[in-house]
Amino acid sequence: MGKIIAIANQKGGVGKTTTSVNLAASLGALEKKVLLIDADPQANASSGLGIDVDSVEVGSYQLIEHSAIAEDCIIPTSAPHVDIIPAHIDLVAIEIELVDKEEREYMLKKAIHHLKDQYDYILIDCAPSLGLLTLNALTAADSVIIPIQCEYFALEGLGKLLNTIKSVQRIHNPNLDIEGMLLTMYDARLRLSNQVVEEVQKHFSDMVFDTIIQRNVRLGEAPSFGESIINYDVSSKGATNYLSLAKEIIKKNG
């Protein structure tokens, strides 16, 4: 039975998509069967794995509004053992379209629940907001990874996200767990980076992953080639970090 993990934070630019793409590729490299669902209208996870977003005819939009079944939306990627349900700019409209639907928070869950038998891990790249799309992802997920940037405003907004997770646990998904908080964009030379790491570890001790994702030029370059860091430069620090995260998750999930 596979595990569904949402990667969420309403702040933009914290490394959500970078984590979604490279964690998927790292789990795939470790021979786990992975499905990545791009639930962000910006569709960066799709283009980051070499998908031509403009040519997507069925994807997460059709999946969530139930006009296509999951199997019709899945396409293979260049990363070994990794499939994707891509996004398209149309996804922007879904928040408005779902508003008057019954059980609107459960649309994604109903569409993908049966896929847990076919994959070891299903990762959902969430939009940088706490709207209906992210709510659907959290309702469908077994757990959530929260990327936290090692910068000044890192902890700002975290309380809001944790409150949202609590209310999802209370109302929609009592089994939702926090898989872990992931420190990203860490630069050992900066005092501020080290202070953020200390703060987060002090406040959330057990909830923080041991793996820290360091700032890495190669990691920033990979998406422009439509490749994960594993395909682009497996010897880079970025690849080492994400492989370490994948191993930590596999170990945690036995």
Side-chain angles (χ1 to χ4, degrees), residues 24 28 36 40 90 104 129 157 176 178 192 198 201 209 216 226-227 231-232:
L36 176 58
D40 181 352
D90 288 354
R104 58 181 187 234
S129 75
L176 181 66
I178 292 179
L192 180 63
E198 273 172 41
Q201 288 174 338
F209 284 112
N216 178 238
E227 290 185 342
N231 277 26
Y232 182 64

Coordinates of all heavy atoms in Angstrom, one line a residue, residues 24 28 36 40 90 104 129 157 176 178 192 198 201 209 216 226-227 231-232:
A24 N 10.9 13.0 -5.8 CA 10.3 12.0 -6.6 C 11.4 11.3 -7.4 O 11.4 10.0 -7.4 CB 9.3 12.6 -7.6
G28 N 12.6 7.4 -7.0 CA 12.7 6.6 -8.2 C 14.0 6.0 -8.4 O 14.2 4.8 -8.7
L36 N 4.0 11.6 -9.2 CA 4.0 13.0 -8.8 C 2.8 13.7 -9.4 O 2.5 13.6 -10.6 CB 5.3 13.7 -9.3 CG 5.4 15.2 -9.1 CD1 5.4 15.6 -7.6 CD2 6.7 15.8 -9.7
D40 N -0.3 22.6 -8.8 CA 0.0 24.0 -8.8 C -0.2 24.6 -10.2 O 0.4 24.1 -11.1 CB 1.5 24.2 -8.4 CG 1.9 25.7 -8.3 OD1 1.1 26.5 -8.7 OD2 3.0 25.9 -7.8
D90 N -4.9 26.1 -16.9 CA -6.4 25.9 -16.6 C -6.7 25.7 -15.1 O -7.8 26.0 -14.7 CB -7.0 24.7 -17.4 CG -7.0 25.0 -18.9 OD1 -6.7 26.1 -19.3 OD2 -7.4 24.1 -19.6
R104 N -16.5 19.3 -1.9 CA -15.5 19.8 -2.8 C -14.1 19.6 -2.3 O -13.1 19.6 -3.1 CB -15.8 21.3 -3.0 CG -15.8 22.1 -1.7 CD -16.1 23.6 -1.9 NE -15.9 24.2 -0.6 CZ -16.8 25.0 -0.1 NH1 -18.0 25.2 -0.7 NH2 -16.6 25.6 1.1
S129 N -0.6 28.6 -1.7 CA -1.8 29.3 -1.1 C -2.4 28.2 -0.2 O -2.1 27.1 -0.2 CB -2.7 29.7 -2.2 OG -3.5 28.6 -2.6
G157 N 4.2 32.8 9.0 CA 3.2 32.1 8.2 C 3.2 30.6 8.5 O 2.3 29.9 8.2
L176 N -4.3 12.6 8.9 CA -3.2 13.4 8.3 C -2.0 13.6 9.3 O -2.3 14.1 10.4 CB -3.7 14.8 7.8 CG -2.6 15.7 7.2 CD1 -2.1 15.1 5.9 CD2 -3.2 17.1 6.9
I178 N 2.2 14.9 10.1 CA 3.2 15.7 9.5 C 4.4 14.8 9.3 O 5.0 14.3 10.2 CB 3.6 16.9 10.4 CG1 2.4 17.9 10.4 CG2 4.9 17.6 9.9 CD1 2.6 19.1 11.3
L192 N 22.7 33.9 9.6 CA 21.2 33.8 9.6 C 20.7 32.4 9.3 O 19.8 31.9 10.0 CB 20.6 34.8 8.6 CG 19.1 34.8 8.5 CD1 18.5 35.3 9.8 CD2 18.6 35.7 7.4
E198 N 18.7 26.5 13.9 CA 18.6 26.3 15.4 C 17.2 26.6 15.9 O 16.7 25.8 16.7 CB 19.6 27.3 16.1 CG 21.0 26.8 16.3 CD 21.9 27.9 16.8 OE1 21.5 28.6 17.7 OE2 23.1 27.9 16.3
Q201 N 14.8 23.8 14.8 CA 15.1 22.5 15.6 C 14.7 22.6 17.0 O 14.2 21.7 17.6 CB 16.5 22.1 15.4 CG 16.8 21.6 14.0 CD 18.3 21.4 13.7 OE1 19.2 21.9 14.4 NE2 18.6 20.6 12.7
F209 N 13.3 17.1 9.6 CA 14.2 16.1 9.0 C 15.6 16.3 9.3 O 16.1 17.5 9.5 CB 14.0 16.2 7.4 CG 12.8 15.6 6.9 CD1 11.8 16.4 6.3 CD2 12.5 14.2 7.0 CE1 10.6 15.8 5.8 CE2 11.4 13.6 6.5 CZ 10.4 14.5 5.9
N216 N 22.5 25.4 -3.9 CA 23.3 24.7 -4.8 C 23.0 25.1 -6.2 O 21.8 25.1 -6.7 CB 23.0 23.2 -4.7 CG 23.7 22.3 -5.7 OD1 23.2 21.5 -6.4 ND2 25.1 22.4 -5.6
G226 N 14.7 20.8 -18.0 CA 13.6 19.8 -17.8 C 14.0 18.5 -17.2 O 13.5 17.5 -17.6
E227 N 15.0 18.6 -16.3 CA 15.5 17.4 -15.6 C 15.5 17.6 -14.1 O 15.7 18.7 -13.6 CB 16.9 17.1 -16.1 CG 17.0 16.7 -17.6 CD 18.4 16.3 -18.0 OE1 19.4 16.7 -17.3 OE2 18.5 15.6 -19.0
N231 N 19.1 13.4 -12.7 CA 19.4 13.2 -14.1 C 20.5 14.2 -14.5 O 21.3 13.9 -15.4 CB 18.2 13.4 -15.0 CG 17.3 12.2 -15.1 OD1 17.4 11.3 -14.2 ND2 16.6 12.0 -16.2
Y232 N 20.4 15.4 -14.0 CA 21.2 16.5 -14.5 C 22.6 16.5 -13.9 O 23.6 16.6 -14.7 CB 20.5 17.9 -14.0 CG 21.3 19.1 -14.5 CD1 21.4 19.4 -15.8 CD2 21.8 20.0 -13.6 CE1 22.0 20.5 -16.3 CE2 22.5 21.1 -14.0 CZ 22.6 21.4 -15.3 OH 23.2 22.5 -15.8

